[in-house]
Amino acid sequence: MTTYSLMSGGEKLVTADTFSVINPSTMVTVGESPKASIEDLNSIIKEARKAFTSWSTTPYEKRQQYINQIADTLETHSQELASIITQEQGKPIGAPLGSMFEMGGAAAWTRYTASLELPVKVLQDDENGHIELHRRPIGVVASITPWNWPVMIAIWHIIPAVLAGNTVVCKPSPYTPLSTLRMIELINRVLPKGVVNSIAGGDELGAAISDHIGIDKIVFTGSTDTGKKIMSSSSKSLKNLTLELGGNDAGIVLGDCNPDEIVPGLFWGAFINNGQTCAAMKRLYVHRSIYKEICDSLTAFAKSVKMGDGFADGAELGPIQNKMQFNIVNQLVKTSIQQGGKVLLGGPLDSEESLFFPVTLIAVEKNDNALVQHEQFGPALPIIPFDTVEEAILLANDNSAGLGGSVWSNDKQAAAKIAGQMECGTVWINKHGAIQPNAPFGGIKSSGLGVEFGEEGLLANTTIQCIFS
Ligand code: NAD
């Protein structure tokens, strides 16, 4: 079995304890993850602080070169890392949205981010004075990641932080630490010592990070409840925060759509990575005039999608990643049915022996249905009819989440008007969830604070210093 290590100051750090990581398809142990103690955390943060002095003063162009070398490393090792992702996360290795796709995304994000500039802005230059706005790194950035896209999300955190001159301590989810640990080990072959460090352990380690005086910023992707805890404990040392939290994205399908044309996009918008994606479509509102057609067509399409072990030929969807999430999805589906939801496909399971959960479509009449109101983060989609556009907008906005949303129509102008009234950080027209490295992404309402990606995402890893002369 492969040995995985923490990286601290460019060296492997051996921990006294380890914990087992389970393959959700087979329930067999994939490998042992190091389990850091508080002493390990203290020494890793110390190494990151030590490295900050020279990294923050390394010329920006030189840092860009390092980031491009990281992109090369990710490309060279994509097969190896994708295989670890499939083993610990469950997503199929070769599927269009599987773990090789995740690695392709990680490399592409890295490469694009390396091309961003951080120029000095001249705010004033006249007889009254000269004022320059400089962007400075913040210090040591802690990255805390979830289990759904382990390598890609770690890259989203690490790369802009490092490019801006910060050093990083990254803590992956205890469900999927191995691919991130290996990735950080590999990128340490490229970077100077201590610029990117890794730490692994349970949720309590995340809590210790957000409490730690040696951390200047936290970039966190995960649930809204954890985000609130991080915000609360970070307040003691007034840390800078980027919080990418839970979503409950609505899709609104207008009556002029051709179901056959949009159903593949609707399906993959909702079921990408088995629905375990923050910006997956989690509620689908359909105009009553085409409601039945869309339900029938989605059901037929869903039946054609193959679920299985991530290494099996043709598998497009894997299992739910862990039992905790399996139970959340199963219970929400059960409650939805008790509240009047009608099963179109799939349905709840009585056995918890396997983590494979069938693709489930539920016809729902009321917006207060549990599967509509709560984030399922799994392969179950409620489909709700509406009669007027105004009603659809009200229903879509009647939720505490505000990550993404979509509008589906042949009339792009009408769709854009609706987009402007949706309470969320991103709206897609005739697609859902298509994020890009050049477009800032983040949630409003309880879906988070701040953005990642693009120039704004890079700036979020800096502080402003104005120099008057
Ligand atoms: P989670 O909040 O349970 O865990 C995420 C990370 O936080 C893990 O590394 C965990 O160990 C750590 N953690 C747990 N308790 C902590 C604490 N008290 N302090 C600090 N860290 C702590 O989330 P999850 O179950 O891994 O991920 C699923 C959730 O993530 C969903 O709600 C999903 O919508 C959200 N998500 C959001 C985005 C986004 O960009 N907005 C992207 C992916 C996932």
Side-chain angles (χ1 to χ4, degrees):
M1 208 173 274
T2 317
T3 313
Y4 294 89
S5 306
L6 304 182
M7 292 304 297
S8 170
E11 307 295 334
K12 290 185 177 177
L13 186 147
V14 177
T15 56
D17 288 334
T18 63
F19 61 96
S20 301
V21 178
I22 306 297
N23 180 330
S25 291
T26 60
M27 306 308 259
V28 168
T29 301
V30 177
E32 289 293 311
S33 169
K35 186 173 185 209
S37 63
I38 294 300
E39 291 70 37
D40 294 330
L41 175 66
N42 290 337
S43 85
I44 289 172
I45 292 175
K46 213 166 145 193
E47 290 297 334
R49 293 213 79 81
K50 203 160 90 189
F52 179 72
T53 311
S54 60
W55 183 248
S56 58
T57 51
T58 300
Y60 189 81
E61 311 74 56
K62 183 80 188 141
R63 295 203 295 258
Q64 287 176 305
Q65 285 167 14
Y66 278 118
I67 304 293
N68 272 316
Q69 283 176 275
I70 293 177
D72 297 341
T73 303
L74 294 173
E75 278 162 6
T76 306
H77 292 272
S78 61
Q79 193 79 41
E80 177 201 348
L81 290 169
S83 169
I84 306 172
I85 294 172
T86 293
Q87 288 174 61
E88 67 178 355
Q89 204 284 333
K91 70 182 63 155
I93 189 157
L97 300 168
S99 50
M100 278 305 282
F101 165 83
E102 176 166 353
M103 285 311 304
W109 246 270
T110 303
R111 191 84 68 197
Y112 175 79
T113 307
S115 73
L116 294 171
E117 300 293 338
L118 267 185
V120 174
K121 253 193 195 172
V122 176
L123 303 180
Q124 188 181 326
D125 187 28
D126 57 25
E127 63 281 5
N128 296 319
H130 180 84
I131 309 174
E132 288 178 353
L133 185 155
H134 292 252
R135 290 284 175 172
R136 306 291 187 208
I138 298 170
V140 178
V141 174
S143 143
I144 304 179
T145 62
W147 44 260
N148 55 344
W149 297 90
V151 168
M152 191 146 72
I153 292 179
I155 284 292
W156 291 347
H157 292 183
I158 292 169
I159 298 301
V162 165
L163 179 61
N166 305 284
T167 55
V168 171
V169 175
C170 176
K171 189 201 90 64
S173 164
Y175 290 113
T176 54
L178 304 181
S179 49
T180 309
L181 293 180
R182 177 68 179 144
M183 183 265 287
I184 291 176
E185 196 183 322
L186 289 168
I187 68 177
N188 263 276
R189 293 181 187 171
V190 170
L191 286 172
K193 288 178 191 302
V195 174
V196 176
N197 308 274
S198 56
I199 187 129
D203 294 350
E204 70 291 344
L205 187 67
I209 290 172
S210 46
D211 224 23
H212 205 290
I213 193 88
I215 297 291
D216 302 295
K217 174 184 172 84
I218 298 180
V219 49
F220 168 75
T221 302
S223 63
T224 300
D225 283 349
T226 306
K228 287 178 183 169
K229 286 184 199 160
I230 290 175
M231 195 169 182
S232 164
S233 52
S234 298
S235 68
K236 288 179 217 151
S237 55
L238 216 61
K239 295 188 201 323
N240 182 309
L241 293 178
T242 299
L243 301 176
E244 296 289 358
L245 309 179
N248 196 350
D249 291 14
I252 298 177
V253 176
L254 303 190
D256 67 345
C257 287
N258 175 346
D260 288 341
E261 273 172 19
I262 65 167
V263 153
L266 289 176
F267 181 85
W268 288 113
F271 290 93
I272 174 173
N273 198 26
N274 231 352
Q276 302 167 122
T277 298
C278 53
M281 188 200 294
K282 293 174 180 149
R283 305 174 277 150
L284 177 57
Y285 297 94
V286 181
H287 192 265
R288 207 178 290 276
S289 61
I290 56 166
Y291 183 76
K292 183 164 182 327
E293 268 180 282
I294 291 279
C295 288
D296 291 348
S297 215
L298 254 181
T299 305
F301 187 89
K303 282 182 180 165
S304 73
V305 175
K306 193 173 162 196
M307 183 179 281
D309 185 292
F311 293 102
D313 270 355
E316 291 171 281
L317 294 175
I320 292 182
Q321 201 281 330
N322 58 71
K323 199 161 215 167
M324 177 266 310
Q325 197 61 40
F326 180 99
N327 290 335
I328 290 173
V329 177
N330 204 20
Q331 190 52 52
L332 277 174
V333 171
K334 284 181 183 167
T335 309
S336 173
I337 295 165
Q338 282 160 11
Q339 294 174 337
K342 303 260 179 305
V343 178
L344 302 172
L345 184 70
L349 295 177
D350 289 328
S351 152
E352 293 172 17
E353 272 165 29
S354 137
L355 294 178
F356 285 97
F357 192 92
V359 168
T360 293
L361 299 171
I362 309 274
V364 169
E365 274 294 328
K366 296 217 168 117
N367 218 42
D368 61 3
N369 188 283
L371 189 58
V372 178
Q373 280 305 315
H374 300 285
E375 184 192 30
Q376 65 279 54
F377 210 65
L381 180 70
I383 313 173
I384 310 106
F386 67 85
D387 293 298
T388 66
V389 164
E390 292 70 30
E391 181 196 0
I393 296 167
L394 277 176
L395 295 173
N397 288 340
D398 173 28
N399 200 275
S400 60
L403 193 57
S406 59
V407 187
W408 303 69
S409 170
N410 285 318
D411 182 344
K412 282 214 171 165
Q413 258 187 327
K417 198 168 160 212
I418 295 169
Q421 295 172 76
M422 290 178 81
E423 295 169 357
C424 49
T426 304
V427 186
W428 295 276
I429 293 174
N430 294 328
K431 54 187 158 192
H432 196 111
I435 50 172
Q436 291 189 186
N438 58 348
F441 175 76
I444 61 167
K445 295 161 85 173
S446 65
S447 289
L449 282 181
V451 292
E452 294 183 277
F453 314 160
E455 197 193 343
E456 283 83 354
L458 179 61
L459 295 180
N461 287 281
T462 65
T463 54
I464 289 175
Q465 185 183 52
C466 285
I467 300 187
F468 288 59
S469 59

